[in-house]
Amino acid sequence: MNRPTRTVLIGLIVAASLAACSSVASSSGIPAVSGSSEPAVSGSSEPAVSATQTSEGGQVTVVATWTGPASGAAIDVTLDTHSADLDALDLADAILRNDRGETLEARPWTAPKGGHHRQGALTFDGTAPGFFAGARWMELVLVGVGDLPERTLRWQVGP
């Protein structure tokens, strides 16, 4: 193979590798949120039915799974990025908020260190049975994850 062809081939491989590791951020600065049903984003009135919600934006993807009131105030959170070290995040500023305006504050996140990938249960202080009793929805608010000031993921609790 001649030198110009090899240079072009190497350039294409590098470009493809970089594209695969890049996250596509929303041009509006608002995180994209998805689930298996139509999820709610900050400002929306309809809660998501899916147990797993995904928020992409700010160079970090957040995947949060809450299996319902029986699991209490515990949400499995996974953070993924290809551009920053996530080990310093403890999610201590996270809150749970319900439709009545009640909130529960997060305990320090004890997810194992992993650099670009972290996963673990995020738990909250307070009385979960009273928080969920009669609530229509609850939302997880994450502050300062990635380049976004705030992310909101919402789940349906009751009818």
Side-chain angles (χ1 to χ4, degrees):
M1 181 179 325
N2 64 30
R3 185 177 183 107
T5 304
R6 186 175 337 137
T7 303
V8 170
L9 184 58
I10 290 171
L12 289 173
I13 291 170
V14 169
S17 297
L18 289 174
C21 289
S22 297
S23 64
V24 178
S26 167
S27 61
S28 66
I30 298 172
V33 181
S34 66
S36 64
S37 65
E38 188 62 31
V41 294
S42 186
S44 175
S45 62
E46 293 299 317
V49 177
S50 175
T52 300
Q53 300 299 312
T54 302
S55 170
E56 294 181 295
Q59 301 181 5
V60 176
T61 298
V62 176
V63 178
T65 302
W66 180 65
T67 57
S71 66
I75 299 173
D76 186 54
V77 176
T78 301
L79 303 179
D80 285 307
T81 186
H82 290 286
S83 60
D85 186 353
L86 301 171
D87 288 346
L89 288 176
D90 72 358
L91 304 182
D93 292 335
I95 62 165
L96 283 184
R97 178 172 46 216
N98 65 22
D99 59 296
R100 297 186 304 261
E102 300 167 334
T103 61
L104 299 177
E105 295 182 10
R107 295 179 181 147
W109 193 37
T110 58
K113 306 281 188 214
H116 297 286
H117 311 284
R118 292 188 69 192
Q119 179 178 2
L122 181 60
T123 58
F124 295 81
D125 287 327
T127 56
F131 179 80
F132 294 120
R136 292 188 334 251
W137 54 260
M138 72 102 184
E139 56 191 12
L140 171 64
V141 180
L142 298 173
V143 177
V145 176
D147 294 338
L148 300 175
E150 183 175 286
R151 299 169 191 257
T152 302
L153 301 164
R154 185 182 290 184
W155 290 267
Q156 184 173 338
V157 175

